[in-house]
Amino acid sequence: MNQQTALLYGRKYAGSASHRAECRELPVKIIRVREAFMALFRGAFQEVELTDPQWRVLRVLSTVDEIDTAALAERAILLGPSLTRILRDLDQRGLVTRRSSRLDARRSLHSITPEGLRIIDEIIPRFDPFYQSLARRMDQGDVAQLGALLDMLLDNLDAAIKDSEE
Amino acid sequence: MNQQTALLYGRKYAGSASHRAECRELPVKIIRVREAFMALFRGAFQEVELTDPQWRVLRVLSTVDEIDTAALAERAILLGPSLTRILRDLDQRGLVTRRSSRLDARRSLHSITPEGLRIIDEIIPRFDPFYQSLARRMDQGDVAQLGALLDMLLDNLDAAIKDSEE
DNA sequence: CCCAATTATTTAACGCGTTATCTATTATCG
DNA sequence: CGATAATAGATAACGCGTTAAATAATTGGG
């Protein structure tokens, strides 16, 4: 039923407690789930000719009045160079605008245009069937617990990253 | 503590059962967890000058005698065109070899070289500290449950994708 | 047997992820 | 003040993800 989610990022734990190998299966599962989500949304994005990262930028801009580049990158989960390219393209399509800050000329402040907002309003309802389909299949308690466990994993990964940076 | 994992892929559920919005937070959480895993492993990959997808290819090849392109793509979680490029590069570095099948000349059969195996043996122990660090922080029952919930989510996403393709 | 349909793989094109580097602007400290 | 450090953002380079189209080999129906 499930695709192959074999161990890729390590070896099976050689010690006595074989359940400790579980951690090592998480990266592959995360990769596969991410791809499945993207595959699910791809059609909706294509209908409005946006990519997933472009969508995230517009989505963040639709929730604020203005926002500077660094904050936009953080909230849209993008690195600076990706965001620069995306803003250039969205600007050319007339979906976003920018002005530079008068307090600090290094900063740009970005906002969404009415046309950008129109696209947002058009696409958001298209997500509904996917979530409804998912909610029909999955127990809501499981979903809530999965969310909590992912938050916990994220916190622990961040801590492990900080550890390994020393 | 946690990074911003705001809603990006839909709107808050407007109905009476507000917990139904939970599903809509999963994509962002998955994206962030994936990035955290990659950040954790990146240093280890750089030490042997492999990218993460290149690593996955070598890792699969280290577990089999020979394997054809399509099966390798499935097991390394790659699409054909990515795999073609990666095999070309790994071949140039002498880490993999290929021969074409005598039964079906369209097929290639790939295998890892001794030098490729040497890199595998060098890098695998480097993952251990990361998993140990993670296992120290997380309850093993939580990890097992997270794995099971991710499997369930993956199955349901695949089913939802099939639904929406009609 | 032959030719159309199918299958395995590659190529091409475009956008994103990542790192390193560059430019412009602001802040700091003597 | 003025030189230097720090910061915001852009650019360049390289590899991967995705789609569409091309190539080559095989299969199957007439």
Side-chain angles (χ1 to χ4, degrees):
Chain A
M1 177 124 303
N2 228 323
Q3 290 115 314
Q4 169 95 254
T5 57
L7 203 59
L8 287 180
Y9 290 91
R11 55 185 167 197
K12 282 214 150 59
Y13 184 70
S16 53
S18 72
H19 65 276
R20 290 188 60 185
E22 286 282 355
C23 265
R24 300 170 188 247
E25 297 173 8
L26 291 178
V28 171
K29 294 185 186 199
I30 292 289
I31 290 174
R32 290 207 185 272
V33 168
R34 174 174 155 71
E35 301 210 334
F37 264 122
M38 289 305 120
L40 188 59
F41 295 139
R42 194 164 294 137
F45 289 141
Q46 286 174 344
E47 285 178 40
V48 294
E49 299 198 78
L50 286 178
T51 64
D52 164 55
Q54 289 171 345
W55 158 257
R56 294 203 300 264
V57 169
L58 285 186
R59 182 74 178 100
V60 171
L61 288 177
S62 75
T63 67
V64 298
D65 182 39
E66 284 187 318
I67 188 170
D68 69 275
T69 310
L72 179 54
E74 159 61 21
R75 293 191 51 183
I77 323 179
L78 291 169
L79 294 179
S82 295
L83 184 52
T84 295
R85 285 184 302 235
I86 289 168
L87 288 171
R88 168 179 34 79
D89 296 346
L90 294 178
D91 195 351
Q92 284 170 4
R93 289 171 61 180
L95 307 183
V96 304
T97 56
R98 73 164 57 189
R99 68 180 185 89
S100 57
S101 165
R102 275 178 284 276
L103 297 165
D104 182 344
R106 291 170 302 183
R107 281 202 156 99
S108 287
L109 295 172
H110 308 276
S111 43
I112 192 169
T113 64
E115 174 65 6
L117 275 177
R118 197 190 58 70
I119 289 185
I120 292 283
D121 291 339
E122 184 181 330
I123 199 178
I124 284 189
R126 294 180 185 270
F127 289 126
D128 290 346
F130 303 141
Y131 288 113
Q132 284 163 11
S133 166
L134 210 58
R136 229 179 293 120
R137 292 171 214 279
M138 293 191 71
D139 175 75
Q140 289 308 306
D142 285 347
V143 171
Q145 182 150 30
L146 177 53
L149 288 169
L150 287 173
D151 284 340
M152 178 191 307
L153 176 58
L154 184 55
D155 285 338
N156 288 321
L157 282 171
D158 287 339
I161 289 166
K162 285 206 180 62
D163 260 23
S164 70
E165 276 169 354
E166 288 156 15
Chain B
M1 176 126 304
N2 227 322
Q3 291 115 315
Q4 169 96 255
T5 57
L7 204 60
L8 286 180
Y9 289 92
R11 55 185 167 196
K12 284 215 149 60
Y13 185 69
S16 52
S18 73
H19 66 276
R20 289 188 61 186
E22 286 282 356
C23 265
R24 298 170 188 249
E25 297 172 9
L26 291 177
V28 171
K29 294 184 185 199
I30 292 289
I31 290 174
R32 290 207 186 270
V33 168
R34 174 174 157 69
E35 301 211 334
F37 264 123
M38 289 305 120
L40 188 60
F41 295 140
R42 193 163 295 137
F45 289 141
Q46 286 174 344
E47 285 178 40
V48 293
E49 299 197 80
L50 287 178
T51 64
D52 164 54
Q54 288 171 344
W55 158 257
R56 294 203 301 264
V57 169
L58 285 187
R59 181 73 177 100
V60 171
L61 289 176
S62 76
T63 67
V64 298
D65 182 40
E66 284 186 318
I67 188 171
D68 69 274
T69 311
L72 179 54
E74 159 61 21
R75 293 190 52 183
I77 322 179
L78 291 169
L79 293 179
S82 295
L83 184 53
T84 295
R85 284 183 303 235
I86 289 169
L87 288 170
R88 170 180 30 82
D89 296 345
L90 294 178
D91 195 352
Q92 283 170 5
R93 288 171 63 180
L95 307 183
V96 305
T97 56
R98 72 165 55 189
R99 69 179 185 89
S100 57
S101 164
R102 275 178 284 276
L103 297 165
D104 182 344
R106 293 169 304 182
R107 282 200 155 100
S108 287
L109 295 172
H110 307 276
S111 43
I112 193 169
T113 64
E115 174 66 7
L117 275 177
R118 196 189 58 69
I119 290 185
I120 292 284
D121 291 339
E122 184 181 330
I123 198 177
I124 283 189
R126 294 180 186 269
F127 289 125
D128 289 347
F130 303 140
Y131 288 114
Q132 284 162 11
S133 166
L134 210 57
R136 229 179 292 119
R137 292 171 213 279
M138 293 192 69
D139 175 75
Q140 288 309 306
D142 285 348
V143 171
Q145 184 153 28
L146 177 53
L149 287 169
L150 287 172
D151 284 341
M152 178 190 308
L153 176 59
L154 184 55
D155 284 338
N156 288 321
L157 282 171
D158 287 339
I161 290 166
K162 285 207 180 61
D163 260 23
S164 71
E165 277 170 354
E166 286 157 14

